[in-house]
Amino acid sequence: MELFIGNPTQQTHIFTYRRFGQKVSEPSRVAIPAGAQISIPDLDADDIRDIIDQHRAFGFCTLKEAQHNPAYRGLIYSEDCAVKFHDLANGVQDNHEKLKKEGAKTRKKAAETIAGRTMATTKGKRNKTQSLEVSLSADGDHDAAPSSFSQETYAAAGD
């Protein structure tokens, strides 16, 4: 039997695992480039189960499970058949979209927290501010394409 491990992320992943009888201090390690997959050949069903169980705590799952998880961004596996290139490419794109959405939520929450704390610390000090806008801009974006959040403004209302 063979275990295929796909990397639908945008970074290389070092996949570390142990087979039965392998020393804890000497695990196997394989680099999986972004959007690629590896195979671990010559496994029996127990070896496959052990490797899957070693990584399940970190979100290791099948492609189908990953597609149904709105926040999933990790490695996927398939037993005895390779993950289709199309599925890996879609996974990379899907993960990119999930990260963009998560980044926007994080920036908005940070801006609202900054605005709220600023209003709270100036409250009662001759300040009648009822709302505050926080602008975020991306400077020094070295990617070929400009950042999708090169200018965002968030507002927070006071009590």
PDB file of all heavy atoms in Angstrom, residues 118-151:
ATOM      1  N   THR A 118      -8.305  53.727  22.358  1.00  0.00           N
ATOM      2  CA  THR A 118      -7.954  55.148  22.263  1.00  0.00           C
ATOM      3  C   THR A 118      -9.084  56.005  22.812  1.00  0.00           C
ATOM      4  O   THR A 118      -8.854  56.932  23.597  1.00  0.00           O
ATOM      5  CB  THR A 118      -7.657  55.542  20.802  1.00  0.00           C
ATOM      6  OG1 THR A 118      -6.578  54.741  20.331  1.00  0.00           O
ATOM      7  CG2 THR A 118      -7.307  57.009  20.682  1.00  0.00           C
ATOM      8  N   MET A 119     -10.320  55.691  22.453  1.00  0.00           N
ATOM      9  CA  MET A 119     -11.464  56.458  22.959  1.00  0.00           C
ATOM     10  C   MET A 119     -11.625  56.259  24.460  1.00  0.00           C
ATOM     11  O   MET A 119     -11.929  57.204  25.187  1.00  0.00           O
ATOM     12  CB  MET A 119     -12.738  56.066  22.218  1.00  0.00           C
ATOM     13  CG  MET A 119     -12.763  56.590  20.793  1.00  0.00           C
ATOM     14  SD  MET A 119     -14.329  56.364  19.927  1.00  0.00           S
ATOM     15  CE  MET A 119     -14.521  54.610  19.921  1.00  0.00           C
ATOM     16  N   ALA A 120     -11.375  55.065  24.962  1.00  0.00           N
ATOM     17  CA  ALA A 120     -11.526  54.797  26.393  1.00  0.00           C
ATOM     18  C   ALA A 120     -10.488  55.561  27.210  1.00  0.00           C
ATOM     19  O   ALA A 120     -10.796  56.066  28.289  1.00  0.00           O
ATOM     20  CB  ALA A 120     -11.411  53.297  26.667  1.00  0.00           C
ATOM     21  N   THR A 121      -9.252  55.650  26.713  1.00  0.00           N
ATOM     22  CA  THR A 121      -8.211  56.341  27.480  1.00  0.00           C
ATOM     23  C   THR A 121      -8.359  57.849  27.439  1.00  0.00           C
ATOM     24  O   THR A 121      -7.871  58.535  28.324  1.00  0.00           O
ATOM     25  CB  THR A 121      -6.794  55.965  26.983  1.00  0.00           C
ATOM     26  OG1 THR A 121      -6.714  56.204  25.589  1.00  0.00           O
ATOM     27  CG2 THR A 121      -6.460  54.543  27.308  1.00  0.00           C
ATOM     28  N   THR A 122      -9.032  58.378  26.419  1.00  0.00           N
ATOM     29  CA  THR A 122      -9.215  59.829  26.349  1.00  0.00           C
ATOM     30  C   THR A 122     -10.562  60.282  26.885  1.00  0.00           C
ATOM     31  O   THR A 122     -10.835  61.475  26.955  1.00  0.00           O
ATOM     32  CB  THR A 122      -9.064  60.321  24.888  1.00  0.00           C
ATOM     33  OG1 THR A 122     -10.039  59.680  24.086  1.00  0.00           O
ATOM     34  CG2 THR A 122      -7.673  60.054  24.365  1.00  0.00           C
ATOM     35  N   LYS A 123     -11.403  59.344  27.289  1.00  0.00           N
ATOM     36  CA  LYS A 123     -12.733  59.662  27.792  1.00  0.00           C
ATOM     37  C   LYS A 123     -12.619  60.515  29.064  1.00  0.00           C
ATOM     38  O   LYS A 123     -11.836  60.221  29.954  1.00  0.00           O
ATOM     39  CB  LYS A 123     -13.492  58.374  28.102  1.00  0.00           C
ATOM     40  CG  LYS A 123     -14.964  58.541  28.226  1.00  0.00           C
ATOM     41  CD  LYS A 123     -15.607  57.183  28.358  1.00  0.00           C
ATOM     42  CE  LYS A 123     -17.086  57.302  28.119  1.00  0.00           C
ATOM     43  NZ  LYS A 123     -17.745  56.010  28.126  1.00  0.00           N
ATOM     44  N   GLY A 124     -13.403  61.546  29.136  1.00  0.00           N
ATOM     45  CA  GLY A 124     -13.417  62.397  30.326  1.00  0.00           C
ATOM     46  C   GLY A 124     -12.293  63.409  30.353  1.00  0.00           C
ATOM     47  O   GLY A 124     -12.144  64.154  31.294  1.00  0.00           O
ATOM     48  N   LYS A 125     -11.470  63.465  29.368  1.00  0.00           N
ATOM     49  CA  LYS A 125     -10.358  64.412  29.308  1.00  0.00           C
ATOM     50  C   LYS A 125     -10.659  65.479  28.260  1.00  0.00           C
ATOM     51  O   LYS A 125      -9.883  65.701  27.342  1.00  0.00           O
ATOM     52  CB  LYS A 125      -9.046  63.685  28.973  1.00  0.00           C
ATOM     53  CG  LYS A 125      -8.652  62.667  30.021  1.00  0.00           C
ATOM     54  CD  LYS A 125      -7.370  61.974  29.639  1.00  0.00           C
ATOM     55  CE  LYS A 125      -7.033  60.942  30.702  1.00  0.00           C
ATOM     56  NZ  LYS A 125      -5.880  60.149  30.370  1.00  0.00           N
ATOM     57  N   ARG A 126     -11.822  66.097  28.429  1.00  0.00           N
ATOM     58  CA  ARG A 126     -12.295  67.115  27.495  1.00  0.00           C
ATOM     59  C   ARG A 126     -12.418  66.560  26.078  1.00  0.00           C
ATOM     60  O   ARG A 126     -12.210  67.257  25.113  1.00  0.00           O
ATOM     61  CB  ARG A 126     -11.382  68.341  27.493  1.00  0.00           C
ATOM     62  CG  ARG A 126     -11.371  69.078  28.773  1.00  0.00           C
ATOM     63  CD  ARG A 126     -10.543  70.299  28.634  1.00  0.00           C
ATOM     64  NE  ARG A 126     -10.511  71.004  29.887  1.00  0.00           N
ATOM     65  CZ  ARG A 126      -9.770  72.045  30.113  1.00  0.00           C
ATOM     66  NH1 ARG A 126      -8.993  72.521  29.167  1.00  0.00           N
ATOM     67  NH2 ARG A 126      -9.797  72.644  31.275  1.00  0.00           N
ATOM     68  N   ASN A 127     -12.698  65.327  25.993  1.00  0.00           N
ATOM     69  CA  ASN A 127     -12.810  64.701  24.690  1.00  0.00           C
ATOM     70  C   ASN A 127     -14.237  64.209  24.506  1.00  0.00           C
ATOM     71  O   ASN A 127     -14.720  63.415  25.277  1.00  0.00           O
ATOM     72  CB  ASN A 127     -11.828  63.523  24.577  1.00  0.00           C
ATOM     73  CG  ASN A 127     -11.834  62.914  23.196  1.00  0.00           C
ATOM     74  OD1 ASN A 127     -12.573  63.332  22.325  1.00  0.00           O
ATOM     75  ND2 ASN A 127     -10.996  61.919  23.012  1.00  0.00           N
ATOM     76  N   LYS A 128     -14.880  64.663  23.489  1.00  0.00           N
ATOM     77  CA  LYS A 128     -16.260  64.288  23.200  1.00  0.00           C
ATOM     78  C   LYS A 128     -16.337  63.331  21.998  1.00  0.00           C
ATOM     79  O   LYS A 128     -17.358  63.229  21.344  1.00  0.00           O
ATOM     80  CB  LYS A 128     -17.101  65.534  22.901  1.00  0.00           C
ATOM     81  CG  LYS A 128     -17.059  66.570  23.998  1.00  0.00           C
ATOM     82  CD  LYS A 128     -17.840  66.091  25.196  1.00  0.00           C
ATOM     83  CE  LYS A 128     -17.864  67.223  26.224  1.00  0.00           C
ATOM     84  NZ  LYS A 128     -18.138  66.802  27.534  1.00  0.00           N
ATOM     85  N   THR A 129     -15.246  62.648  21.716  1.00  0.00           N
ATOM     86  CA  THR A 129     -15.197  61.747  20.557  1.00  0.00           C
ATOM     87  C   THR A 129     -16.228  60.641  20.707  1.00  0.00           C
ATOM     88  O   THR A 129     -16.269  59.949  21.710  1.00  0.00           O
ATOM     89  CB  THR A 129     -13.790  61.137  20.415  1.00  0.00           C
ATOM     90  OG1 THR A 129     -12.851  62.195  20.274  1.00  0.00           O
ATOM     91  CG2 THR A 129     -13.704  60.218  19.210  1.00  0.00           C
ATOM     92  N   GLN A 130     -17.058  60.497  19.708  1.00  0.00           N
ATOM     93  CA  GLN A 130     -18.071  59.448  19.697  1.00  0.00           C
ATOM     94  C   GLN A 130     -17.665  58.284  18.797  1.00  0.00           C
ATOM     95  O   GLN A 130     -18.152  57.173  18.957  1.00  0.00           O
ATOM     96  CB  GLN A 130     -19.413  60.011  19.227  1.00  0.00           C
ATOM     97  CG  GLN A 130     -19.982  61.045  20.187  1.00  0.00           C
ATOM     98  CD  GLN A 130     -20.281  60.443  21.557  1.00  0.00           C
ATOM     99  OE1 GLN A 130     -20.886  59.390  21.654  1.00  0.00           O
ATOM    100  NE2 GLN A 130     -19.845  61.102  22.603  1.00  0.00           N
ATOM    101  N   SER A 131     -16.793  58.566  17.841  1.00  0.00           N
ATOM    102  CA  SER A 131     -16.313  57.501  16.961  1.00  0.00           C
ATOM    103  C   SER A 131     -14.915  57.864  16.474  1.00  0.00           C
ATOM    104  O   SER A 131     -14.488  59.010  16.575  1.00  0.00           O
ATOM    105  CB  SER A 131     -17.258  57.297  15.782  1.00  0.00           C
ATOM    106  OG  SER A 131     -17.249  58.437  14.953  1.00  0.00           O
ATOM    107  N   LEU A 132     -14.249  56.871  15.977  1.00  0.00           N
ATOM    108  CA  LEU A 132     -12.869  57.071  15.533  1.00  0.00           C
ATOM    109  C   LEU A 132     -12.622  56.160  14.341  1.00  0.00           C
ATOM    110  O   LEU A 132     -13.086  55.018  14.326  1.00  0.00           O
ATOM    111  CB  LEU A 132     -11.914  56.711  16.679  1.00  0.00           C
ATOM    112  CG  LEU A 132     -10.439  56.933  16.490  1.00  0.00           C
ATOM    113  CD1 LEU A 132     -10.135  58.422  16.353  1.00  0.00           C
ATOM    114  CD2 LEU A 132      -9.682  56.379  17.698  1.00  0.00           C
ATOM    115  N   GLU A 133     -11.918  56.671  13.356  1.00  0.00           N
ATOM    116  CA  GLU A 133     -11.555  55.850  12.204  1.00  0.00           C
ATOM    117  C   GLU A 133     -10.079  55.515  12.277  1.00  0.00           C
ATOM    118  O   GLU A 133      -9.255  56.350  12.649  1.00  0.00           O
ATOM    119  CB  GLU A 133     -11.822  56.580  10.887  1.00  0.00           C
ATOM    120  CG  GLU A 133     -13.271  56.648  10.514  1.00  0.00           C
ATOM    121  CD  GLU A 133     -13.469  57.222   9.119  1.00  0.00           C
ATOM    122  OE1 GLU A 133     -12.498  57.610   8.461  1.00  0.00           O
ATOM    123  OE2 GLU A 133     -14.627  57.275   8.715  1.00  0.00           O
ATOM    124  N   VAL A 134      -9.744  54.286  11.947  1.00  0.00           N
ATOM    125  CA  VAL A 134      -8.360  53.833  11.905  1.00  0.00           C
ATOM    126  C   VAL A 134      -8.085  53.408  10.469  1.00  0.00           C
ATOM    127  O   VAL A 134      -8.800  52.580   9.910  1.00  0.00           O
ATOM    128  CB  VAL A 134      -8.118  52.639  12.856  1.00  0.00           C
ATOM    129  CG1 VAL A 134      -6.708  52.126  12.726  1.00  0.00           C
ATOM    130  CG2 VAL A 134      -8.427  53.043  14.292  1.00  0.00           C
ATOM    131  N   SER A 135      -7.057  54.010   9.868  1.00  0.00           N
ATOM    132  CA  SER A 135      -6.688  53.644   8.498  1.00  0.00           C
ATOM    133  C   SER A 135      -5.443  52.777   8.532  1.00  0.00           C
ATOM    134  O   SER A 135      -4.494  53.069   9.253  1.00  0.00           O
ATOM    135  CB  SER A 135      -6.393  54.889   7.661  1.00  0.00           C
ATOM    136  OG  SER A 135      -7.578  55.603   7.443  1.00  0.00           O
ATOM    137  N   LEU A 136      -5.480  51.723   7.741  1.00  0.00           N
ATOM    138  CA  LEU A 136      -4.335  50.833   7.591  1.00  0.00           C
ATOM    139  C   LEU A 136      -3.857  50.936   6.160  1.00  0.00           C
ATOM    140  O   LEU A 136      -4.650  50.965   5.232  1.00  0.00           O
ATOM    141  CB  LEU A 136      -4.731  49.378   7.880  1.00  0.00           C
ATOM    142  CG  LEU A 136      -5.329  49.079   9.238  1.00  0.00           C
ATOM    143  CD1 LEU A 136      -5.770  47.620   9.291  1.00  0.00           C
ATOM    144  CD2 LEU A 136      -4.325  49.352  10.333  1.00  0.00           C
ATOM    145  N   SER A 137      -2.545  50.991   5.985  1.00  0.00           N
ATOM    146  CA  SER A 137      -2.018  50.982   4.624  1.00  0.00           C
ATOM    147  C   SER A 137      -0.791  50.096   4.583  1.00  0.00           C
ATOM    148  O   SER A 137      -0.083  49.948   5.571  1.00  0.00           O
ATOM    149  CB  SER A 137      -1.676  52.405   4.163  1.00  0.00           C
ATOM    150  OG  SER A 137      -0.678  52.953   4.990  1.00  0.00           O
ATOM    151  N   ALA A 138      -0.578  49.492   3.445  1.00  0.00           N
ATOM    152  CA  ALA A 138       0.563  48.602   3.261  1.00  0.00           C
ATOM    153  C   ALA A 138       1.656  49.377   2.558  1.00  0.00           C
ATOM    154  O   ALA A 138       1.494  49.800   1.419  1.00  0.00           O
ATOM    155  CB  ALA A 138       0.153  47.385   2.451  1.00  0.00           C
ATOM    156  N   ASP A 139       2.755  49.598   3.243  1.00  0.00           N
ATOM    157  CA  ASP A 139       3.909  50.263   2.651  1.00  0.00           C
ATOM    158  C   ASP A 139       4.999  49.218   2.437  1.00  0.00           C
ATOM    159  O   ASP A 139       5.149  48.279   3.226  1.00  0.00           O
ATOM    160  CB  ASP A 139       4.447  51.353   3.584  1.00  0.00           C
ATOM    161  CG  ASP A 139       3.463  52.494   3.749  1.00  0.00           C
ATOM    162  OD1 ASP A 139       2.704  52.761   2.805  1.00  0.00           O
ATOM    163  OD2 ASP A 139       3.451  53.099   4.825  1.00  0.00           O
ATOM    164  N   GLY A 140       5.749  49.371   1.394  1.00  0.00           N
ATOM    165  CA  GLY A 140       6.859  48.464   1.144  1.00  0.00           C
ATOM    166  C   GLY A 140       6.419  47.078   0.731  1.00  0.00           C
ATOM    167  O   GLY A 140       7.070  46.110   1.045  1.00  0.00           O
ATOM    168  N   ASP A 141       5.297  46.982   0.023  1.00  0.00           N
ATOM    169  CA  ASP A 141       4.816  45.701  -0.465  1.00  0.00           C
ATOM    170  C   ASP A 141       5.735  45.280  -1.612  1.00  0.00           C
ATOM    171  O   ASP A 141       5.722  45.859  -2.672  1.00  0.00           O
ATOM    172  CB  ASP A 141       3.371  45.847  -0.940  1.00  0.00           C
ATOM    173  CG  ASP A 141       2.717  44.507  -1.216  1.00  0.00           C
ATOM    174  OD1 ASP A 141       3.368  43.475  -1.091  1.00  0.00           O
ATOM    175  OD2 ASP A 141       1.533  44.538  -1.559  1.00  0.00           O
ATOM    176  N   HIS A 142       6.545  44.248  -1.370  1.00  0.00           N
ATOM    177  CA  HIS A 142       7.560  43.858  -2.334  1.00  0.00           C
ATOM    178  C   HIS A 142       7.083  42.797  -3.313  1.00  0.00           C
ATOM    179  O   HIS A 142       7.857  42.329  -4.131  1.00  0.00           O
ATOM    180  CB  HIS A 142       8.813  43.369  -1.609  1.00  0.00           C
ATOM    181  CG  HIS A 142       9.389  44.417  -0.721  1.00  0.00           C
ATOM    182  ND1 HIS A 142       9.946  45.571  -1.206  1.00  0.00           N
ATOM    183  CD2 HIS A 142       9.464  44.495   0.617  1.00  0.00           C
ATOM    184  CE1 HIS A 142      10.361  46.316  -0.197  1.00  0.00           C
ATOM    185  NE2 HIS A 142      10.076  45.684   0.913  1.00  0.00           N
ATOM    186  N   ASP A 143       5.828  42.375  -3.215  1.00  0.00           N
ATOM    187  CA  ASP A 143       5.292  41.405  -4.161  1.00  0.00           C
ATOM    188  C   ASP A 143       5.113  42.063  -5.522  1.00  0.00           C
ATOM    189  O   ASP A 143       5.052  43.275  -5.649  1.00  0.00           O
ATOM    190  CB  ASP A 143       3.935  40.871  -3.686  1.00  0.00           C
ATOM    191  CG  ASP A 143       4.061  40.034  -2.423  1.00  0.00           C
ATOM    192  OD1 ASP A 143       5.154  39.492  -2.185  1.00  0.00           O
ATOM    193  OD2 ASP A 143       3.072  39.935  -1.689  1.00  0.00           O
ATOM    194  N   ALA A 144       5.009  41.236  -6.549  1.00  0.00           N
ATOM    195  CA  ALA A 144       4.815  41.748  -7.902  1.00  0.00           C
ATOM    196  C   ALA A 144       3.490  42.509  -8.010  1.00  0.00           C
ATOM    197  O   ALA A 144       3.406  43.525  -8.681  1.00  0.00           O
ATOM    198  CB  ALA A 144       4.850  40.599  -8.902  1.00  0.00           C
ATOM    199  N   ALA A 145       2.471  41.997  -7.332  1.00  0.00           N
ATOM    200  CA  ALA A 145       1.161  42.662  -7.356  1.00  0.00           C
ATOM    201  C   ALA A 145       0.986  43.440  -6.056  1.00  0.00           C
ATOM    202  O   ALA A 145       1.437  43.006  -5.005  1.00  0.00           O
ATOM    203  CB  ALA A 145       0.057  41.620  -7.484  1.00  0.00           C
ATOM    204  N   PRO A 146       0.342  44.595  -6.107  1.00  0.00           N
ATOM    205  CA  PRO A 146       0.112  45.345  -4.869  1.00  0.00           C
ATOM    206  C   PRO A 146      -0.791  44.561  -3.916  1.00  0.00           C
ATOM    207  O   PRO A 146      -1.589  43.739  -4.334  1.00  0.00           O
ATOM    208  CB  PRO A 146      -0.567  46.632  -5.327  1.00  0.00           C
ATOM    209  CG  PRO A 146      -0.914  46.438  -6.752  1.00  0.00           C
ATOM    210  CD  PRO A 146      -0.189  45.257  -7.272  1.00  0.00           C
ATOM    211  N   SER A 147      -0.617  44.851  -2.658  1.00  0.00           N
ATOM    212  CA  SER A 147      -1.396  44.166  -1.637  1.00  0.00           C
ATOM    213  C   SER A 147      -2.871  44.480  -1.785  1.00  0.00           C
ATOM    214  O   SER A 147      -3.246  45.594  -2.146  1.00  0.00           O
ATOM    215  CB  SER A 147      -0.910  44.605  -0.253  1.00  0.00           C
ATOM    216  OG  SER A 147      -1.742  44.087   0.742  1.00  0.00           O
ATOM    217  N   SER A 148      -3.707  43.487  -1.466  1.00  0.00           N
ATOM    218  CA  SER A 148      -5.151  43.703  -1.571  1.00  0.00           C
ATOM    219  C   SER A 148      -5.666  44.603  -0.457  1.00  0.00           C
ATOM    220  O   SER A 148      -6.795  45.025  -0.485  1.00  0.00           O
ATOM    221  CB  SER A 148      -5.884  42.357  -1.551  1.00  0.00           C
ATOM    222  OG  SER A 148      -5.650  41.707  -0.325  1.00  0.00           O
ATOM    223  N   PHE A 149      -4.840  44.872   0.546  1.00  0.00           N
ATOM    224  CA  PHE A 149      -5.275  45.770   1.615  1.00  0.00           C
ATOM    225  C   PHE A 149      -4.354  46.986   1.672  1.00  0.00           C
ATOM    226  O   PHE A 149      -4.031  47.484   2.714  1.00  0.00           O
ATOM    227  CB  PHE A 149      -5.347  45.054   2.970  1.00  0.00           C
ATOM    228  CG  PHE A 149      -4.028  44.645   3.551  1.00  0.00           C
ATOM    229  CD1 PHE A 149      -3.382  45.436   4.485  1.00  0.00           C
ATOM    230  CD2 PHE A 149      -3.435  43.446   3.183  1.00  0.00           C
ATOM    231  CE1 PHE A 149      -2.179  45.057   5.025  1.00  0.00           C
ATOM    232  CE2 PHE A 149      -2.228  43.074   3.714  1.00  0.00           C
ATOM    233  CZ  PHE A 149      -1.590  43.878   4.652  1.00  0.00           C
ATOM    234  N   SER A 150      -3.977  47.515   0.507  1.00  0.00           N
ATOM    235  CA  SER A 150      -3.073  48.651   0.499  1.00  0.00           C
ATOM    236  C   SER A 150      -3.681  49.880   1.152  1.00  0.00           C
ATOM    237  O   SER A 150      -2.971  50.737   1.607  1.00  0.00           O
ATOM    238  CB  SER A 150      -2.583  48.961  -0.910  1.00  0.00           C
ATOM    239  OG  SER A 150      -3.635  48.946  -1.813  1.00  0.00           O
ATOM    240  N   GLN A 151      -4.998  49.924   1.260  1.00  0.00           N
ATOM    241  CA  GLN A 151      -5.642  51.002   2.009  1.00  0.00           C
ATOM    242  C   GLN A 151      -7.000  50.530   2.510  1.00  0.00           C
ATOM    243  O   GLN A 151      -7.872  50.231   1.722  1.00  0.00           O
ATOM    244  CB  GLN A 151      -5.830  52.248   1.127  1.00  0.00           C
ATOM    245  CG  GLN A 151      -6.351  53.450   1.877  1.00  0.00           C
ATOM    246  CD  GLN A 151      -5.352  53.983   2.906  1.00  0.00           C
ATOM    247  OE1 GLN A 151      -4.164  53.998   2.688  1.00  0.00           O
ATOM    248  NE2 GLN A 151      -5.851  54.426   4.030  1.00  0.00           N
TER     249      GLN A 151
END
